[in-house]
Amino acid sequence: MYGDYDGLNKPPIFDLYLGVNFWKTVNISKPDAVHVAEVIAVVPDDSVQVCLVNTRSGTPFISSLELRPLKDTLYPQANATQGLVLVGRHNFGAADLIRYPNDTYDRVWVPYTNPEDQWTTILTSSKVAMEVEDRKPLYDVPSVVMQTAVRPSNTTRNVMWFPWDAEPNHVYPMPGLLPVFYLAELETVDGKQERRLFLISLKRPNSSASWLIGDFDYLVTTVVSRTTGRPVPFVSPKENLVILGAANATTLRPIMEINSTILPPFINAAELFTPISTAGVGTDPQDVSAITAIKAKYQLNRNWVGDPCAPKNLVWDGLNCSYPISRPQRITSVNMSFGGLSGDISSYFANLKAIQYLDLSHNNLSGSIPDGLSQLPSLVLLDLTGNKLTGTIPLGLLIRIQDGNLTLRYDHSPNLCSNNSSCQPTQENRNSKTTGYIAVVVVASVVVVALVVLLLFFVIRRKEEPANIHNQEGDVQSRNRRFTYTELKVITSNFRRVLGEGGFGPVYDGFLEDGTQVAVKLRSQSSNQGVKEFLTEAQNLTGIHHRNLVSLIGYCKDGEYMALVYEYMSEGDLQHKLRGRDRNDGCLTWRQRLHIVLESAQGLEYLHKACSPPFIHRDVKTSNILLDANLKAKVADFGLMKAFNQDGDTHVSTARVVGTPGYLAPDTYALQVRDSPRAH
Ligand SMILES: *[C@@H]1O[C@H](CO)[C@@H](O)[C@H](O)[C@H]1NC(C)=O
Ligand SMILES: *[C@@H]1O[C@H](CO)[C@@H](O)[C@H](O)[C@H]1NC(C)=O
Ligand SMILES: *[C@@H]1O[C@H](CO)[C@@H](O)[C@H](O)[C@H]1NC(C)=O
């Protein structure tokens, strides 16, 4: 109720949204009236946002919000793509409101006013039962609502009508109509049940909105509605009249043999809905959690509420999104230029995996540029102009610049490694003279850097010392951290969400302190992979880094607890992808499949050729190939990996056959069975 609380005497008009879907326009026409909006909808997620949207016609307000769970069989018309907005819930012949506890779902049944005493109330004290359809409790109206009804006072009149007020709005200029009528015979004549037959229709009887009903059971509710098909078409507002009329006996004779008087119509209760689409999907959940964390970090004053990208006309200030059909929206650009931001650059920016433009210019940002930004596959512009950044520019970004894929602007940042004295090398760069050197040069001239980087790779290639590459990448990226079991408990919120199950044990979802999403592989007691395999995997991985190998972030060896902490791969494993675990997943295209094959092979080639000593994985299968948000493939699960002789001997001798039956090359399998008496 508005009640002129702000003293402006201007009742507002605003929009309501359920999640990203338009629900209704609230038009506070009477300041002292209580306005109630009700929608019955299927909520697919754990939570739902209710948004009050300012449409420049006054400030939205809300006095209370109630949520009630319903059985999903209660209203079959409400489904994943259609919600029901209540227009009216009428209880005919009633004196008082009926709600909980009489209605277990706390629906509010409002007495319907009798127009000019045209109607007579019919009452019963006997319970009215529900019609049971296929044993499913459809609709389920409380008996007390059904125990009152009305019929025309003048028994010679055989028509009753009541208006139906479905207000058009800017989203639904012609709202559809979905009525549910509840009828139960409450009268008997000399202990014999009356026989009735009548027609329910909208004002235009020859429209599709007509129901011919009759022959009601005594004290049993009959529900008249449409469970399938399209809603009743829109008739112009204020003309939507529901008419109950006794049918003409003569015309009905071919349908039913009725010779007695046809008695007047009656009605006990009705619910009137107008359907809305709830098919709209919101922003990708990973993007939502990243941008929400960014909003929290910088304590932004902007009106960043609701879903970031949807609805399209209410996208957050400074954001641009892509709107793929029937898939979640992605954030493609963030412009926080002149945003008054201070502190360091949030590492959450690196979680906006579809971002192309990131403009953080003219803020008060300090600290170094997060390395993670170089992992953003679509980033083409990074504007850091006019900040107080320090440190070196991450090598990954320099390579992207050199490849011509990225424009980096950072001019008025005097401390960003512009010369040797003001350059503050960060921890990870201190060991790597090469990176430091490159960063110094790049400030002088990007062209020169390009040459140096090229030259560097060229030299490495020429020397053909794979171990060298290994070491350099290791120096730059190896920051493996040792976790305690308690830390893991915090990271995984007490091992709340299981991502999957490996040979080693369950894999849990987790977040590091900086918000990086990780996968925590905890060794289970019943694991058939032992301590030895665990240590093998941990040791092997600390030194290995390749874009097509899942990288290890850290490990835990805390008493009996052992765990490995990996980067998070949002698209799961290839096996599930190929099998289509998720109904929403489309098929992988041939192009994507080829990419996955090629990338997996590159990961393996790195193990075979570039590592010193070389490794063989020994358990290559689809469930050990993981996919990131961009379907980039990375080989995982190194528990059975083994180093082989360094002297160029390509014969691989292992003590026993390992791996997964069915994925082992048959000739290798045969060879090893022969070689090893212990093989199974
Ligand atoms: C709001 O209600 C008033 C009074 O009923 C009406 O005149 C006006 O057109 C409505 N505005 C909108 C936007 O629906
Ligand atoms: C009802 O029946 C009478 C004849 O008994 C007929 O004249 C009249 O047209 C019928 N009305 C309708 C609506 O069918
Ligand atoms: C960001 O917004 C500012 C103005 O607010 C504009 O000058 C700048 O070009 C925008 N940046 C991008 C990348 O669009």
Side-chain angles (χ1 to χ4, degrees), residues 449-590:
V449 167
L451 288 177
V452 171
V453 173
L454 273 178
L455 201 66
L456 182 71
F457 286 156
F458 184 65
V459 168
I460 290 163
R461 282 269 161 74
R462 281 295 299 272
K463 276 162 93 187
E464 289 191 351
E465 274 179 47
N468 233 349
I469 298 177
H470 175 197
N471 285 342
Q472 282 190 356
E473 296 210 12
D475 283 344
V476 175
Q477 297 181 13
S478 146
R479 269 172 291 166
N480 289 313
R481 172 174 157 188
R482 185 163 179 170
F483 293 90
T484 64
Y485 183 66
T486 321
E487 282 174 316
L488 290 186
K489 267 170 101 171
V490 173
I491 288 169
T492 59
S493 308
N494 213 2
F495 305 102
R496 198 160 62 96
R497 195 163 88 88
V498 178
L499 293 172
E501 188 78 30
F504 188 69
V507 184
Y508 297 95
D509 190 17
F511 289 89
L512 298 184
E513 304 84 337
D514 67 355
T516 313
Q517 197 168 7
V518 293
V520 178
K521 206 167 152 188
L522 189 69
R523 180 178 172 260
S524 73
Q525 299 301 331
S526 60
S527 163
N528 52 13
Q529 261 174 295
V531 180
K532 190 163 155 278
E533 280 90 352
F534 167 80
L535 291 173
T536 308
E537 182 160 9
Q539 269 167 20
N540 286 342
L541 282 174
T542 37
I544 297 175
H545 295 281
H546 187 270
R547 63 180 180 279
N548 300 119
L549 300 174
V550 170
S551 60
L552 187 71
I553 289 168
Y555 66 99
C556 163
K557 174 131 186 15
D558 188 351
E560 68 196 285
Y561 297 111
M562 290 182 233
L564 295 171
V565 180
Y566 286 99
E567 66 177 311
Y568 179 76
M569 301 290 284
S570 63
E571 288 300 300
D573 70 64
L574 180 60
Q575 183 180 33
H576 277 129
K577 204 77 184 171
L578 290 174
R579 288 184 180 176
R581 166 186 51 171
D582 199 344
R583 266 183 305 129
N584 300 336
D585 280 359
C587 246
L588 289 173
T589 63
W590 283 109

Side-chain angles (χ1 to χ4, degrees), residues 255-331:
I255 304 167
M256 291 183 73
E257 275 301 322
I258 301 176
N259 295 316
S260 62
T261 324
I262 301 295
L263 291 161
F266 67 87
I267 186 161
N268 307 56
E271 283 177 298
L272 311 173
F273 298 105
T274 159
I276 53 164
S277 165
T278 54
V281 289
T283 306
D284 177 83
Q286 226 181 325
D287 282 3
V288 173
S289 66
I291 199 78
T292 309
I294 291 164
K295 178 188 161 194
K297 178 180 168 87
Y298 297 114
Q299 302 180 339
L300 290 180
N301 242 346
R302 305 176 181 212
N303 189 16
W304 277 16
V305 291
D307 188 276
C309 297
K312 207 170 176 174
N313 56 329
L314 295 170
V315 55
W316 288 6
D317 246 12
L319 262 53
N320 277 328
C321 303
S322 63
Y323 294 88
I325 293 159
S326 77
R327 284 215 325 274
Q329 287 102 60
R330 301 303 305 259
I331 296 173

Side-chain angles (χ1 to χ4, degrees), residues 32-94:
D32 297 329
V34 173
H35 293 257
V36 178
E38 179 181 316
V39 65
I40 295 171
V42 175
V43 173
D45 304 315
D46 293 346
S47 63
V48 65
Q49 306 216 28
V50 172
C51 295
L52 287 70
V53 177
N54 189 329
T55 52
R56 295 170 201 280
S57 308
T59 308
F61 68 91
I62 185 168
S63 313
S64 78
L65 180 67
E66 300 179 354
L67 280 114
R68 308 281 182 223
L70 303 179
K71 270 191 284 203
D72 56 6
T73 52
L74 203 60
Y75 292 95
Q77 299 95 335
N79 55 39
T81 56
Q82 178 170 279
L84 307 178
V85 175
L86 186 71
V87 175
R89 179 173 287 127
H90 307 316
N91 185 6
F92 295 95

Side-chain angles (χ1 to χ4, degrees), residues 49-213:
Q49 306 216 28
V50 172
C51 295
L52 287 70
V53 177
N54 189 329
T55 52
R56 295 170 201 280
S57 308
T59 308
F61 68 91
I62 185 168
S63 313
S64 78
L65 180 67
E66 300 179 354
L67 280 114
R68 308 281 182 223
L70 303 179
K71 270 191 284 203
D72 56 6
T73 52
L74 203 60
Y75 292 95
Q77 299 95 335
N79 55 39
T81 56
Q82 178 170 279
L84 307 178
V85 175
L86 186 71
V87 175
R89 179 173 287 127
H90 307 316
N91 185 6
F92 295 95
D96 301 306
L97 275 185
I98 289 174
R99 60 186 301 181
Y100 188 83
N102 289 310
D103 188 314
T104 46
Y105 305 103
D106 197 19
R107 289 168 295 185
V108 178
W109 298 87
V110 182
Y112 194 89
T113 329
N114 186 347
E116 294 149 16
D117 285 335
Q118 287 173 9
W119 297 347
T120 299
T121 298
I122 320 166
L123 286 167
T124 181
S125 53
S126 311
K127 273 224 169 308
V128 178
M130 283 303 298
E131 191 181 46
V132 176
E133 206 174 288
D134 301 338
R135 296 175 176 277
K136 273 195 283 181
L138 286 165
Y139 302 105
D140 201 4
V141 188
S143 170
V144 49
V145 170
M146 296 306 295
Q147 281 166 246
T148 58
V150 291
R151 64 167 160 74
S153 305
N154 181 349
T155 46
T156 59
R157 269 182 75 93
N158 64 359
V159 170
M160 297 164 74
W161 59 267
F162 56 94
W164 174 328
D165 212 5
E167 288 283 342
N169 55 55
H170 62 96
V171 177
Y172 297 100
M174 304 209 336
L177 308 171
L178 262 174
V180 187
F181 304 107
Y182 301 96
L183 305 147
E185 179 65 82
L186 306 180
E187 289 179 304
T188 55
V189 173
D190 303 331
K192 266 185 69 197
Q193 190 192 321
E194 312 255 12
R195 306 201 70 188
R196 303 197 203 236
L197 195 69
F198 58 82
L199 197 71
I200 297 180
S201 63
L202 292 180
K203 188 170 181 183
R204 290 161 197 177
N206 53 359
S207 81
S208 60
S210 299
W211 295 264
L212 183 66
I213 47 169

Side-chain angles (χ1 to χ4, degrees), residues 11-15 25-30 55 57 167-170 238:
I13 301 171
F14 56 92
D15 283 350
T25 294
V26 179
N27 184 351
I28 311 282
S29 43
K30 298 186 198 109
T55 52
S57 308
E167 288 283 342
N169 55 55
H170 62 96
K238 309 291 177 198

